[in-house]
Amino acid sequence: MALTSITEIRRQEILKAFYQTAQEEGLENTSMAKIAKILDVQPSLIVHYFKNKEELLSALIDYCLEKYSLIFEQEFSKPGEPRKKIKILIERLFSKDWNELFDDGVFYSCYALIFRNPEIREKFKILHEGLRSNLTAIIQKYLTEVGQDAQLAETISHQIFILVDGSYYFINMLPDKKEQEFHLNTAKKLAQTLLGLEK
């Protein structure tokens, strides 16, 4: 096995341990020592792959983007009828399939750092621009294939992400799962209307 492959495997193991610790104890309580304990290694080994917690945070945000991007790839990498595929995507965006890809507590803890750290702010900007770009491309292809105005894709993508971001921000304050589902379904129907899927 190549050295670079071994390095990448070790980095992924450390990153997963960091994510696990942040889920269980909170991002602010996560340390190199706690990550090392989970992996049963010396903290110096962690520092060999990530110089400090800031580097780990940067990698965690990349990991977050990779996880969120999966929801686009799962269905749209397959051939099939565009209307059916876009309907499945909207279902996933407003379901626990999307919400459970990455822990909300860890996500919002990372997000809070954008107010103090310009590099992390840039990472989040890139993350969200990437997601919006992916969704825009999918909607553009859908609109073209069904004979609608593909120039509307970017606007519709932006509107759908406003619904997604607002919905998940709000439902995390609601302890009742039925109420959470109600708000997700309401947002989903609005997204379907934007795409003309309710017809």
Side-chain angles (χ1 to χ4, degrees):
M1 185 180 288
L3 182 60
T4 52
S5 297
I6 294 169
T7 298
E8 187 54 35
I9 288 167
R10 293 303 287 166
R11 283 176 61 89
Q12 287 298 315
E13 288 172 353
I14 292 165
L15 192 57
K16 286 177 184 175
F18 177 40
Y19 177 59
Q20 180 186 335
T21 308
Q23 276 184 296
E24 293 170 358
E25 302 193 30
L27 190 66
E28 66 282 358
N29 296 319
T30 303
S31 65
M32 296 289 200
K34 288 179 180 178
I35 296 166
K37 187 175 180 181
I38 284 179
L39 295 171
D40 196 24
V41 298
Q42 292 296 318
S44 58
L45 182 65
I46 309 294
V47 176
H48 176 74
Y49 293 99
F50 295 95
K51 292 177 187 176
N52 49 44
K53 193 173 176 180
E54 284 68 34
E55 273 197 12
L56 267 169
L57 280 168
S58 180
L60 188 66
I61 292 165
D62 289 336
Y63 178 68
C64 173
L65 174 58
E66 182 185 322
K67 286 288 189 181
Y68 281 153
S69 295
L70 287 175
I71 202 159
F72 296 102
E73 295 165 8
Q74 286 169 341
E75 197 61 34
F76 284 81
S77 60
K78 305 172 190 174
E81 199 271 311
R83 183 181 175 87
K84 182 179 178 183
K85 291 199 290 184
I86 202 82
K87 285 181 84 170
I88 291 170
L89 177 59
I90 296 302
E91 286 286 341
R92 286 184 174 159
L93 284 174
F94 296 95
S95 74
K96 293 298 181 182
D97 286 352
W98 167 267
N99 196 220
E100 290 178 358
L101 283 171
F102 195 84
D103 182 78
D104 278 348
V106 178
F107 179 87
Y108 285 114
S109 292
C110 289
Y111 178 79
L113 297 172
I114 73 167
F115 299 103
R116 301 192 303 275
N117 188 318
E119 289 181 13
I120 291 176
R121 184 187 306 125
E122 184 63 19
K123 280 277 184 185
F124 265 87
K125 181 173 176 284
I126 291 168
L127 185 156
H128 282 277
E129 285 175 348
L131 291 174
R132 280 167 169 74
S133 177
N134 287 345
L135 182 59
T136 297
I138 289 164
I139 292 173
Q140 193 169 42
K141 185 176 180 184
Y142 160 73
L143 292 174
T144 300
E145 290 183 2
V146 298
Q148 295 183 33
D149 186 0
Q151 291 184 350
L152 296 173
E154 190 171 350
T155 299
I156 294 171
S157 173
H158 180 68
Q159 291 168 334
I160 289 172
F161 261 101
I162 288 172
L163 291 170
V164 170
D165 291 341
S167 296
Y168 288 109
Y169 177 81
F170 180 63
I171 67 166
N172 280 305
M173 303 175 208
L174 304 174
D176 184 74
K177 287 189 177 180
K178 285 186 178 179
E179 197 175 354
Q180 290 180 358
E181 288 297 327
F182 170 79
H183 287 286
L184 283 177
N185 282 329
T186 300
K188 178 179 71 178
K189 286 174 184 175
L190 285 170
Q192 289 170 336
T193 300
L194 289 169
L195 288 161
L197 294 172
E198 79 288 355
K199 295 174 185 177

